[in-house]
mmCIF file with all atom_site columns, all heavy atoms in Angstrom:
data_model
loop_
_atom_site.group_PDB
_atom_site.id
_atom_site.type_symbol
_atom_site.label_atom_id
_atom_site.label_alt_id
_atom_site.label_comp_id
_atom_site.label_asym_id
_atom_site.label_entity_id
_atom_site.label_seq_id
_atom_site.pdbx_PDB_ins_code
_atom_site.Cartn_x
_atom_site.Cartn_y
_atom_site.Cartn_z
_atom_site.occupancy
_atom_site.B_iso_or_equiv
_atom_site.pdbx_formal_charge
_atom_site.auth_seq_id
_atom_site.auth_comp_id
_atom_site.auth_asym_id
_atom_site.auth_atom_id
_atom_site.pdbx_PDB_model_num
ATOM 1  N N   . GLY A 1 443 ? -18.037 43.096 8.727  1.00 91.00 ? 1643 GLY A N   1
ATOM 2  C CA  . GLY A 1 443 ? -18.742 43.946 9.692  1.00 91.00 ? 1643 GLY A CA  1
ATOM 3  C C   . GLY A 1 443 ? -19.431 43.117 10.770 1.00 91.00 ? 1643 GLY A C   1
ATOM 4  O O   . GLY A 1 443 ? -19.353 43.470 11.976 1.00 91.00 ? 1643 GLY A O   1
ATOM 5  N N   . VAL A 1 444 ? -20.105 42.081 10.344 1.00 92.00 ? 1644 VAL A N   1
ATOM 6  C CA  . VAL A 1 444 ? -20.752 41.225 11.320 1.00 92.00 ? 1644 VAL A CA  1
ATOM 7  C C   . VAL A 1 444 ? -19.746 40.508 12.252 1.00 92.00 ? 1644 VAL A C   1
ATOM 8  O O   . VAL A 1 444 ? -19.980 40.354 13.416 1.00 92.00 ? 1644 VAL A O   1
ATOM 9  C CB  . VAL A 1 444 ? -21.657 40.115 10.600 1.00 92.00 ? 1644 VAL A CB  1
ATOM 10 C CG1 . VAL A 1 444 ? -22.214 39.139 11.565 1.00 92.00 ? 1644 VAL A CG1 1
ATOM 11 C CG2 . VAL A 1 444 ? -22.746 40.842 9.802  1.00 92.00 ? 1644 VAL A CG2 1
ATOM 12 N N   . ARG A 1 445 ? -18.640 40.083 11.673 1.00 93.00 ? 1645 ARG A N   1
ATOM 13 C CA  . ARG A 1 445 ? -17.608 39.466 12.506 1.00 93.00 ? 1645 ARG A CA  1
ATOM 14 C C   . ARG A 1 445 ? -17.053 40.431 13.560 1.00 93.00 ? 1645 ARG A C   1
ATOM 15 O O   . ARG A 1 445 ? -16.904 40.093 14.737 1.00 93.00 ? 1645 ARG A O   1
ATOM 16 C CB  . ARG A 1 445 ? -16.450 38.983 11.603 1.00 93.00 ? 1645 ARG A CB  1
ATOM 17 C CG  . ARG A 1 445 ? -15.372 38.228 12.352 1.00 93.00 ? 1645 ARG A CG  1
ATOM 18 C CD  . ARG A 1 445 ? -14.208 37.809 11.412 1.00 93.00 ? 1645 ARG A CD  1
ATOM 19 N NE  . ARG A 1 445 ? -14.664 36.926 10.367 1.00 93.00 ? 1645 ARG A NE  1
ATOM 20 C CZ  . ARG A 1 445 ? -14.620 37.240 9.074  1.00 93.00 ? 1645 ARG A CZ  1
ATOM 21 N NH1 . ARG A 1 445 ? -14.130 38.419 8.699  1.00 93.00 ? 1645 ARG A NH1 1
ATOM 22 N NH2 . ARG A 1 445 ? -15.041 36.421 8.133  1.00 93.00 ? 1645 ARG A NH2 1
ATOM 23 N N   . LEU A 1 446 ? -16.796 41.671 13.130 1.00 94.00 ? 1646 LEU A N   1
ATOM 24 C CA  . LEU A 1 446 ? -16.224 42.674 14.062 1.00 94.00 ? 1646 LEU A CA  1
ATOM 25 C C   . LEU A 1 446 ? -17.245 42.995 15.180 1.00 94.00 ? 1646 LEU A C   1
ATOM 26 O O   . LEU A 1 446 ? -16.904 43.092 16.353 1.00 94.00 ? 1646 LEU A O   1
ATOM 27 C CB  . LEU A 1 446 ? -15.891 43.974 13.311 1.00 94.00 ? 1646 LEU A CB  1
ATOM 28 C CG  . LEU A 1 446 ? -15.401 45.134 14.153 1.00 94.00 ? 1646 LEU A CG  1
ATOM 29 C CD1 . LEU A 1 446 ? -14.148 44.745 14.990 1.00 94.00 ? 1646 LEU A CD1 1
ATOM 30 C CD2 . LEU A 1 446 ? -15.114 46.339 13.279 1.00 94.00 ? 1646 LEU A CD2 1
ATOM 31 N N   . VAL A 1 447 ? -18.493 43.068 14.787 1.00 94.00 ? 1647 VAL A N   1
ATOM 32 C CA  . VAL A 1 447 ? -19.576 43.345 15.774 1.00 94.00 ? 1647 VAL A CA  1
ATOM 33 C C   . VAL A 1 447 ? -19.644 42.199 16.811 1.00 94.00 ? 1647 VAL A C   1
ATOM 34 O O   . VAL A 1 447 ? -19.891 42.451 17.999 1.00 94.00 ? 1647 VAL A O   1
ATOM 35 C CB  . VAL A 1 447 ? -20.893 43.519 15.067 1.00 94.00 ? 1647 VAL A CB  1
ATOM 36 C CG1 . VAL A 1 447 ? -22.082 43.325 15.985 1.00 94.00 ? 1647 VAL A CG1 1
ATOM 37 C CG2 . VAL A 1 447 ? -20.974 44.914 14.416 1.00 94.00 ? 1647 VAL A CG2 1
ATOM 38 N N   . SER A 1 448 ? -19.482 40.948 16.322 1.00 95.00 ? 1648 SER A N   1
ATOM 39 C CA  . SER A 1 448 ? -19.532 39.831 17.251 1.00 95.00 ? 1648 SER A CA  1
ATOM 40 C C   . SER A 1 448 ? -18.428 39.906 18.377 1.00 95.00 ? 1648 SER A C   1
ATOM 41 O O   . SER A 1 448 ? -18.669 39.605 19.536 1.00 95.00 ? 1648 SER A O   1
ATOM 42 C CB  . SER A 1 448 ? -19.423 38.525 16.558 1.00 95.00 ? 1648 SER A CB  1
ATOM 43 O OG  . SER A 1 448 ? -20.553 38.331 15.702 1.00 95.00 ? 1648 SER A OG  1
ATOM 44 N N   . TYR A 1 449 ? -17.239 40.319 17.879 1.00 96.00 ? 1649 TYR A N   1
ATOM 45 C CA  . TYR A 1 449 ? -16.151 40.476 18.859 1.00 96.00 ? 1649 TYR A CA  1
ATOM 46 C C   . TYR A 1 449 ? -16.465 41.624 19.912 1.00 96.00 ? 1649 TYR A C   1
ATOM 47 O O   . TYR A 1 449 ? -16.212 41.505 21.060 1.00 96.00 ? 1649 TYR A O   1
ATOM 48 C CB  . TYR A 1 449 ? -14.862 40.766 18.161 1.00 96.00 ? 1649 TYR A CB  1
ATOM 49 C CG  . TYR A 1 449 ? -14.167 39.577 17.527 1.00 96.00 ? 1649 TYR A CG  1
ATOM 50 C CD1 . TYR A 1 449 ? -13.889 39.525 16.169 1.00 96.00 ? 1649 TYR A CD1 1
ATOM 51 C CD2 . TYR A 1 449 ? -13.854 38.434 18.291 1.00 96.00 ? 1649 TYR A CD2 1
ATOM 52 C CE1 . TYR A 1 449 ? -13.277 38.410 15.651 1.00 96.00 ? 1649 TYR A CE1 1
ATOM 53 C CE2 . TYR A 1 449 ? -13.233 37.379 17.727 1.00 96.00 ? 1649 TYR A CE2 1
ATOM 54 C CZ  . TYR A 1 449 ? -12.937 37.345 16.390 1.00 96.00 ? 1649 TYR A CZ  1
ATOM 55 O OH  . TYR A 1 449 ? -12.322 36.198 15.850 1.00 96.00 ? 1649 TYR A OH  1
#
Side-chain angles (χ1 to χ4, degrees):
V1644 174
R1645 184 184 298 117
L1646 176 58
V1647 161
S1648 295
Y1649 282 123

